[in-house]
Every structure is written in structure tokens, then in C-alpha cells.
């Protein structure tokens, strides 16, 4: 019979069972009549023919059943019968069904949400062709830390290496685009011509960059994102060949990237400009600043290890054609890592910690539901024994019980998908802004299939043990069991409760350690007073140029004119009611800024590296940074005056020890290439400021007055100390800045307290997620313990009645039951402590001033778990203490 006929026959059987049964009966009767007729023809009497025909056919009823058993539809029908029976059983126990389904929905939903978040970040290949061949190349500091590269380094590697099909570099770029209303600050990158080719991508409309676009002084070309093209020009095709002014300079749009293009190196980028750097540039130029991200596409068949050896050989062999300054030496080689590994390296510990937490919670949920099913199987022992007595085999009973557990898991899985969707939205809302590929986190078909797989596995896991135990009935004992369980049954249930308590302790301990770490971090002095301070990041690139009315020409605005604009902005902001003081700085603490320059003291030849802050004199008082020695920068530290330098405390101590550095002379960055330039003079020392993280030591820093540096930085941050809530003054401050110049674009407005909190977003994120799981695990463990003790009380009613009749007081009964439950909890705590000691070592990178074996955290978690366990035991214990011994004995 063809497959189609088998399917059609099966569907007809399922939908028209009565007609098919009549046909089978007719077929059996027809076979019988033909056999009887043949026997009569052979000479048998009618009575003898009927007897022989029945012998040949066998039992007619059995023959009908055998005919009905053929075909796939009979398996489907058996499954439907099992499902109907399972639904009836669950409807008869709504409390049990709701608890089990809710528990499974929580476990399956949380697991699906977390895996849906982890998959695109840690597992799914990057959205580029042959993404495994794309690598990130970084320099190395003397201590082995990663370092961005210089353009000169890129030129040498591109010329000398034979391991790469293509190389490219990118530099972050904030581009102000003029519009009909307010100017808009776009996030972008300056890139070399092969940038998109290395990624394996090309514009959907227009053309890619070409080598000629990198010509210094040539026309400026940009490629834009599809979203920007639609926002500014209504469509991608309309954007091509349009001229836009970015930073006061005309740029021609030559291409638009495809919709949904992911730029994983800088996800916020919307515009890419061709980088116009000089291949042969003096060391003091910007081309030799370590400020570029270098990526490459490996040649086919070349491994990362082979490319690493190639780079090491290039670094070790200097050639005259490619000179290197001291800060861009490659003797230590270049670090090379897959692009996916590079962009996810910081997020990996955070996400793996969360993944471990959700797996623990899923196991707790499974153990809890398994316990519920085991408890329910005790009450069904008589039922299962009756079914076995009536002929149901062990396989039939196992199938029925597994069907019930799978039904629970399926319903829980469906509800879990809804929880997963809400969980994914919560993850995206809580996640740090720098979490890579956050836009790729979604509940898609893969997530649905994942939820289906988890549901099936969970259903089998939670149902297999109860099914195997329930399908081995002792007919004589089970028919008279009256719902009592045997010793092995009690042991299994108690073991599951111990497991739940142990795993809950691991989660609670992890959450406790993270909570103490975040508390310690946020109580760490950042070196400044963040209260009532508003920060406004501005980009004044357009201020560099002034338009000539007769034609499209841009001229450099003088430094004096730029300084006057910044001073006017300060004056306008200070005049806003409620403002106490205001200042400009080139980089803000704890904001992601990391502007490092080389420092050379006159008294020695060894160079140092330090953060470079260009600030206005009121910076220190506005931020509350204390003066420790000498003086602060003053209004007299202006262009033409001797250049005054203020050092951070850590820099002064590491260089001069206990000796005062006041009067010491030094040069910073490009000043070192101007031997005729006057030396800068140290005039003061101030307290250290946390720059990159509250958990890291304060880096060494130098402070220079705005106007005394070699150039005027156009990317500045305004800090404003207010008398009250700084958020209330945002509109007035925006208006004040706009009154000075319409060419100032505001990129970010945030309170300093918000920046401090955001600097520890990774730890907060892990803490929030694990804390949610820990609370859920604690509740599930308490419910499991309560269920076991309550079931034990129900089964020991006669025993408790006898004890009461023999003189046991209520206190004795309470003590007996609570002691039983607390013994299980104590055993779980002991096992959990060992598990927590091992598991929390994985959180070491997220901890701050707290060890993975912090005794205070462990002690607090044990006390909390003991208190919750005692409460879970007290309810059934108090019910046992109220048992009437007469009623209990009479019931037996």
C-alpha cells in the first residue's frame, strides 16, 4: 500500500471509527462465511463446517482487535486515549496541576529566555560570510594588556604580512550633521577602504569605498546605514549622491548599507567615512596614536596560530622602510583573536554566570515537579494495581504515566514561551548598553525549537522515575496500601528535597556575593563628589570652521575664537538659576573615556603613560576633587603663560615618592617632538579619580588648562554642579548652550551619579538576574520541603494518633515533625556549601573586595535558608500537632 493510501486510510479510521468498525466486523463475518462454505463443499456437514471455520479463525473478538491494531492510526488513537485520560486526571487535581505547570513554566521560560540571549552572542556566528576567518588584531602593553594600534603599524602589517586576504582599521568618529532643526550628533567610524570587504559586506545601494577615496585632501565620501538614509532622505536610493555637511565639511554619500547590517565593532555607528591618513607621517602626528581598531580576514587555509607566528616574525624583525616610535613597537608581537571572541570577551563571564544560574533553577524546578509526581503516585498505587490486575502491562502503564508528565511539560512549555518573551524584554532592558549584539536577542524559530526540546526533555526527566516506580505494582500490597508509600519511595523524595535545598543555597550564595560586591563598589570613593552634578557631552566640530558667504568654502577658525566660544558657553551656563559652578573637560571619569599620552620628565629619560585631562580651572571645585599640594589651575593659566600642570596623587607618589613634585618640569605627548618648546611646570597635586571602573586602581593622570594645550579639543564634556536636582535644569542648560552657538551638538546628558552606577552595569546585571533566580529557587525549595513533610504527616496519621494517645504532647509532635524537615534542610545545606564553594569560583572576576568563600555571605545565606525551611516545616507540623488521636485511630 502506498504511503498516501496509508495516510488516507488512517485519517478515515480516526475520523469515522464507527464506520470502520462496522467494515471490520463485516470483513470478519465474510471471511468466516466463505471458510464455512468451502468446508461444506468439501463434504463437511453445516454444523461441522461452522465448528472448523471458527477453529481456523480463532476467537472472533480477538480477530477483530488484531485487525484494528494494524496501521499508524492505532498508535495515534492510543496516544489520544492516553491524553484524554491524562486530562481527566489533571482536571480531578487542579491544585496539583497548577503547581506543577507553574513550576515547569518558570523553569522552561527562564531557560529559553537566557539561552535565547546567549545564543546570538556566544554561539551564533557573526552575521558575515565566513565569519570564522575574521580576526581582531591589537597591540600589547609591557604588562600584556590589549592596546589599540596606530595607522603606521597597520601600514607595515598590511605590506609585510602574507596571512591576510585583507586588513582594515577603524576609528570612532562623532559626526555632527546639520539639519532643518537642531544639529544631530551621529555615531560613526572613519575606516580604510577595505573595511567592509574584510567583513564580507557591501552596500545594498551605491558603491563601496575605493583606495582613491583615502587620498589626503581629496573629496570626502561616506557610506551610511539604511536607517539613517530613510530618516534623512526617505529611502536608500534617494540618499546616494546626496551631499551632507558633517562637522562643517561637505561629504558625498556613495553607498547605503543593507537593512539590518550589524557593525559589531561599534553597533551604534550610522555613518562611515573614508579614512584619509598619511602612509608616511612624522611620529608626533595623529597617524601614530594608538587609537585604531584593526581587523583582518585570514587567507583561505591560514589558521589563527599561523597568522600569530607571522605577526611575531614581523614584530621581531624591524626594517628601515617602516620605522616605529617607541610606543608603537611590535617586539611583543600583535595579539590576534577571532572577531567574535574579541567582541564577546568582556560579556562572556557575565553571560556564563547567568547561564549557570538558570540551569540550576531548571534542575530545581524539575526536582520539585518530580517530587510532586512521586507524591501523587502514592495515592494512585491502588488504581495502578487494579489496572495491572485487569491486564495492563508494564509498558502500557509507563506510557500512560509519561503521557501525563509530558502533558504537564507541554502546557508548562507553552506558558513558558510567554514568560520567555517577557524575560527577553527584561534582559534587553536590564542589560548593559555595551552588551554585544543586544539587537540580535529575540524569540525566534530557533528559540521555539529550543523550548520544544527543553519541554520534551523536562517532561521525560520529571516523569520517568515516577513512571518506572508506578509501573511496578505489588498487587497484593498496593490494593490494600491506602496511599502509604514504601521506604525507598520516601528516600527518593527526601533525596530530591535535599538536592533542591543544596542548589538553592548555591544560587543564594552567588547572589549574596554579588550583592556584597556591588555594595562595596558603590561605597568606594570615586575621588570626586557625584551628587548634584550634571554632565553634558558636546561635539563642537562645526565650530572648527566658519562658512564664507560667497561660496562653499570652509576656513579654520582660530584657537582664540574657539576658546571664546567655550568661555561664552560657561558664562551662559553659570548664569542659569540654580547653577553653583561649571567647567569643561576633555574626558569624564567612569564614562568610558580613556585618553592616554606619554609623559617625559626633564630629570630622567624613562617615559611614563598617563591620562590627559584638558580642563577649565573650575573643574576641581565643581567635581569636588581635593587639592593635596601646591595650587589648582587658575584663570591666569591661559595661552601665552607658562604651561601649568597638575598631577594626580598616584602619579606624584609613583614618580617622586614622599618628595613634593612642585616645580618639576615635563612634556606631554606631541610636545616631546618639539625640543624648543618650553617645559611644562608642575604646580599642584590633587586626589586620585577613578576613571575606568570603581573596582580598578586609579590611573596616573595629568591636568592641563584649556588653551595651554597644543590644540583645542572639540569633543568636550560640560560638568555642572547644581543646588538641587540637576535633571530639573537640563532644559535651561540646553537653552543656554544654544544661545551661544547653534553649531554645538549635544551627544549625552546624564547625571554623574548615573555614570557612576552605569560603570558597574555588568555586575548589577548579573546580580539582578541571579537574584531573581535565587528567590525563585528559594521558594521552590521551600515548597518541595513543605510537600515532603506534609505528605509524611498525611501518611503517618495513625502513628501520630498513637503517639498522642500514649501521652505525647503537642510540643513533642511539633518537635518530631520539624526535626525531620530540618534534618533534610541541614543535609542540603552541607552539600550546598561544598557546591557553592566550587561554583562561586566562576564569579571571581565579578567580585570586588569579597572572596568567593566570604564567611559573612555564607553565614547569612545559611541563616536565611534555615529560617525559610523552618517556616516550611512548621505549617505541616502544626497541623500534625492538632490531630485528634481518637479520630485518627478510628479512621484506621
Amino acid at each position: 500500500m502506498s504511503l498516501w493510501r496509508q495516510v488516507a486510510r488512517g485519517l478515515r479510521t480516526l475520523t469515522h471509527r464507527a464506520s470502520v468498525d462496522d467494515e471490520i466486523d463485516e470483513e470478519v463475518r465474510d471471511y468466516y462465511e466463505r471458510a464455512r462454505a468451502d468446508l461444506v463443499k468439501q463434504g463437511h456437514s453445516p454444523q461441522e463446517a461452522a465448528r472448523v471455520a471458527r477453529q481456523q479463525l480463532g476467537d472472533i473478538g480477538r480477530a477483530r482487535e488484531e485487525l484494528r491494531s494494524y496501521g499508524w492510526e492505532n498508535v495515534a488513537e492510543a496516544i489520544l486515549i492516553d491524553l484524554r485520560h491524562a486530562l481527566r486526571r489533571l482536571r480531578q487535581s487542579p491544585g496539583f496541576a497548577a503547581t506543577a505547570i507553574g513550576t515547569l513554566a518558570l523553569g522552561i521560560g527562564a531557560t529559553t529566555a537566557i539561552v535565547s540571549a546567549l545564543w546570538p552572542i556566544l554561539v551564533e556566528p557573526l552575521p558575515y560570510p565566513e565569519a570564522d576567518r575574521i580576526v581582531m588584531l591589537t597591540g600589547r602593553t609591557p604588562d600584556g594588556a590589549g592596546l589599540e594600534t596606530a595607522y603606521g603599524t597597520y601600514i607595515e602589517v598590511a605590506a609585510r604580512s602574507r596571512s591576510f586576504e585583507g586588513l582594515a582599521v577603524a576609528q570612532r568618529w562623532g559626526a555632527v550633521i546639520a539639519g532643518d532643526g537642531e544639529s544631530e550628533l551621529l555615531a560613526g567610524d572613519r575606516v580604510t577602504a577595505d573595511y567592509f570587504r574584510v567583513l564580507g559586506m557591501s552596500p545594498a545601494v551605491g558603491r563601496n569605498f575605493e583606495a582613491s577615496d583615502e587620498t589626503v585632501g581629496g573629496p570626502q565620501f561616506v557610506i551610511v546605514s539604511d536607517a539613517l538614509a530613510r530618516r534623512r532622505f526617505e529611502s536608500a536610493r534617494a540618499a546616494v549622491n546626496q551631499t551632507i555637511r558633517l562637522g562643517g565639511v561637505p561629504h558625498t554619500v556613495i553607498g547605503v548599507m543593507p537593512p539590518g547590517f550589524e557593525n559589531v565593532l561599534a553597533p551604534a555607528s550610522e555613518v562611515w567615512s573614508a579614512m584619509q591618513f598619511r602612509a608616511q607621517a612624522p611620529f608626533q602626528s595623529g597617524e601614530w596614536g594608538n587609537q585604531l581598531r584593526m581587523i583582518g580576514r585570514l587567507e583561505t587555509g591560514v589558521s589563527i596560530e599561523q597568522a600569530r607566528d607571522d605577526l611575531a616574525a614581523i614584530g621581531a624583525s624591524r626594517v628601515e622602510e617602516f620605522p616605529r616610535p617607541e610606543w608603537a613597537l611590535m617586539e611583543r608581537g600583535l595579539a590576534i583573536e577571532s572577531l567574535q571572541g574579541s567582541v564577546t570577551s568582556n560579556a562572556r563571564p557575565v553571560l556564563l554566570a547567568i547561564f549557570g544560574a538558570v540551569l540550576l533553577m531548571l534542575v530545581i524546578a524539575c526536582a520539585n515537579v518530580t517530587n510532586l509526581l512521586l507524591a501523587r503516585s502514592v495515592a494512585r498505587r491502588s488504581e495502578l494495581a487494579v489496572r495491572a490486575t485487569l491486564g495492563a502491562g508494564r509498558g502500557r502503564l509507563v506510557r500512560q504515566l509519561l503521557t501525563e508528565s509530558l502533558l504537564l511539560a507541554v502546557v508548562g512549555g507553552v506558558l513558558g514561551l510567554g514568560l520567555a518573551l517577557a524575560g527577553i524584554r527584561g534582559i534587553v532592558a536590564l542589560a548593559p548598553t555595551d552588551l554585544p549584539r543586544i539587537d540580535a536577542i529575540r524569540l525566534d524559530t530557533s528559540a521555539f525549537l529550543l523550548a520544544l526540546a527543553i519541554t520534551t526533555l523536562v517532561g521525560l526527566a520529571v516523569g520517568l522515575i515516577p513512571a518506572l516506580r508506578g509501573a511496578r505494582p505489588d498487587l497484593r500490597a498496593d490494593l490494600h496500601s491506602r496511599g502509604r508509600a514504601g521506604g525507598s519511595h520516601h528516600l527518593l523524595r527526601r533525596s530530591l528535597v535535599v538536592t533542591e535545598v543544596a542548589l538553592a543555597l548555591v544560587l543564594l550564595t552567588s547572589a549574596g556575593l554579588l550583592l556584597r560586591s556591588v555594595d562595596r563598589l558603590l561605597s568606594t570613593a570615586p575621588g570626586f563628589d557625584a551628587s548634584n552634578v550634571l554632565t553634558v557631552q558636546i561635539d563642537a566640530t562645526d565650530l572648527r570652521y566658519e562658512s564664507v558667504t560667497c561660496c562653499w568654502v570652509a576656513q579654520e577658525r582660530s584657537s582664540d575664537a574657539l576658546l571664546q566660544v567655550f568661555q561664552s558657553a560657561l558664562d551662559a551656563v553659570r548664569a542659569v538659576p540654580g547653577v553653583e559652578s561649571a567647567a569643561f573637560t576633555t574626558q569624564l571619569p567612569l564614562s568610558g573615556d580613556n585618553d592616554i599620552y606619554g609623559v617625559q620628565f626633564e630629570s630622567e629619560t624613562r617615559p611614563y603613560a598617563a591620562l590627559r585631562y584638558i580642563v577649565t580651572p573650575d573643574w576641581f571645585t565643581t567635581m569636588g576633587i581635593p587639592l593635596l599640594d601646591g595650587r589648582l589651575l587658575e584663570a591666569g593659566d591661559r595661552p601665552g603663560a607658562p604651561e601649568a600642570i597638575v598631577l594626580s596623587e598616584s602619579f606624584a607618589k609613583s614618580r617622586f615618592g614622599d618628595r613634593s613634585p612642585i616645580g618639576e618640569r615635563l612634556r606631554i605627548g606631541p610636545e616631546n617632538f618639539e625640543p624648543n618648546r618650553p617645559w611644562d611646570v608642575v604646580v599642584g597635586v590633587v586626589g586620585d579619580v577613578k576613571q575606568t571602573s570603581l573596582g580598578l586602581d586609579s590611573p596616573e593622570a595629568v591636568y592641563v588648562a584649556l588653551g595651554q594645550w597644543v590644540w583645542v579639543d572639540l569633543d568636550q564634556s560640560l560638568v555642572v554642579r547644581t543646588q538641587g536636582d540637576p535633571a530639573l535644569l537640563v532644559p535651561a542648560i540646553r537653552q543656554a548652550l544654544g544661545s551661544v552657538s547653534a553649531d554645538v551638538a549635544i551627544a549625552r546628558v546624564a547625571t554623574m551619579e548615573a555614570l557612576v552606577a552605569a560603570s558597574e552595569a555588568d555586575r548589577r546585571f548579573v546580580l539582578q538576574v541571579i537574584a531573581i533566580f535565587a528567590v525563585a529557587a528559594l521558594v521552590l525549595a521551600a515548597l518541595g520541603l513543605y510537600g515532603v513533610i506534609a505528605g509524611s504527616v498525611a501518611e503517618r496519621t495513625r502513628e501520630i494518633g498513637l503517639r498522642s494517645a500514649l501521652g505525647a504532647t503537642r510540643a513533642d509532635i511539633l518537635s518530631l515533625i520539624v526535626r525531620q524537615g530540618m534534618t533534610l534542610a541541614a543535609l542540603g545545606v552541607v552539600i550546598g556549601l561544598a557546591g557553592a564553594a566550587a561554583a562561586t569560583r566562576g564569579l571571581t572576576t565579578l567580585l570586588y573586595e569579597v572572596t568567593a568563600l566570604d564567611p559573612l555571605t555564607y553565614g547569612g545565606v545559611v541563616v536565611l535558608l534555615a529560617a525559610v525551611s523552618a517556616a516550611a516545616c512548621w505549617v505541616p507540623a502544626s497541623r500534625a500537632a492538632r490531630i485528634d488521636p481518637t479520630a485518627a485511630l478510628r479512621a484506621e
Side-chain angles (χ1 to χ4, degrees), residues 671-759:
E671 297 174 342
N672 290 298
F673 297 96
E674 300 179 22
N676 297 324
R677 181 185 176 91
W679 289 89
D680 307 337
V681 180
V682 177
V683 299
V685 177
V686 296
D688 287 337
V689 169
K690 299 284 188 180
Q691 180 62 30
T692 54
S693 169
L694 291 173
L696 299 177
D697 292 336
S698 301
E700 299 171 335
V702 294
Y703 297 87
V704 185
L706 179 64
Q708 290 198 322
W709 183 243
V710 179
W711 60 77
V712 177
D713 292 73
L714 297 174
D715 187 3
Q716 301 268 355
S717 288
L718 175 69
V719 292
V720 183
R721 180 168 292 280
T722 64
Q723 295 174 354
D725 183 359
L728 299 177
L729 298 184
V730 171
I733 291 174
R734 282 182 177 273
Q735 184 177 0
L737 290 173
S739 67
V740 173
S741 174
D743 295 327
V744 174
I746 297 177
R748 178 189 63 207
V749 178
T751 64
M752 201 66 230
E753 289 177 329
L755 291 179
V756 172
S759 69

Side-chain angles (χ1 to χ4, degrees), residues 35-52 56:
R36 189 178 63 81
D38 290 342
L39 289 170
V40 169
K41 289 179 181 179
Q42 294 174 12
H44 291 277
S45 66
Q47 294 79 8
E48 181 68 14
R51 184 183 63 80
V52 174
Q56 292 177 350

Side-chain angles (χ1 to χ4, degrees), residues 18-19 53 74 128 244 259 435 452 457 506 718 735 745 828 851:
S19 299
N74 296 286
Y128 308 125
I244 57 177
L435 187 69
L452 181 63
L457 292 175
V506 173
L718 175 69
Q735 184 177 0
T851 67

